[in-house]
């Protein structure tokens, strides 16, 4: 997401599994700049959001990308990856 000279990432979710989930939301900008946020989606059917802090944009509009990953419960090295979703670059943006 972008407004003015700030960018941030947001993911909307609904955890209907009834189990503990973990998620990581990563915002990647030009020049290797990265913001990562860990979220714990509550185990109920209510919608929720996870959002990174807003940071100044150091590139052209659309030059930042975001990835949201949701994993199951258990030790990190054994937790199954349930979903990985990423943003698309704006048409005409290189990087």
């Amino acid at each position: 997401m972008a407004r003015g000279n700030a960018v941030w990432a947001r993911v909307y979710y609904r955890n209907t599994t009834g189990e503990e989930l973990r998620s990581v939301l990563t915002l990647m900008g030009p020049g290797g700049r990265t913001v990562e946020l860990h979220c714990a989606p509550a185990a109920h059917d209510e919608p929720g959001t996870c959002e990174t802090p807003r940071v100044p944009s150091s590139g052209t509009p659309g030059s930042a990308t975001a990835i949201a990953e949701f994993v199951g419960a258990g030790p990190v090295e054994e937790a199954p990856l349930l979903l990985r979703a990423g943003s698309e670059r704006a048409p005409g943006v290189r990087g």
Side-chain angles (χ1 to χ4, degrees):
M1 301 188 74
R3 180 173 293 150
N5 68 343
V7 295
W8 67 100
R10 179 187 299 158
V11 64
Y12 296 91
Y13 62 84
R14 179 175 274 163
N15 179 5
T16 61
T17 66
E19 299 178 15
E20 172 191 345
L21 296 179
R22 291 186 305 264
S23 71
V24 178
L25 180 58
T26 306
L27 174 66
M28 296 166 286
R33 296 182 52 190
T34 301
V35 176
E36 186 175 275
L37 181 67
H38 295 261
C39 302
H44 57 69
D45 194 22
E46 296 299 316
T49 61
C50 183
E51 185 173 299
T52 65
R54 295 175 188 211
V55 295
S57 175
S58 61
T60 60
S63 61
T65 58
I67 296 178
E69 297 176 304
F70 287 82
V71 297
V76 172
E77 60 278 353
E78 298 174 13
L81 177 64
L82 302 174
L83 173 70
R84 177 178 289 145
S87 63
E88 295 183 26
R89 291 194 183 275
V93 175
R94 295 179 173 241

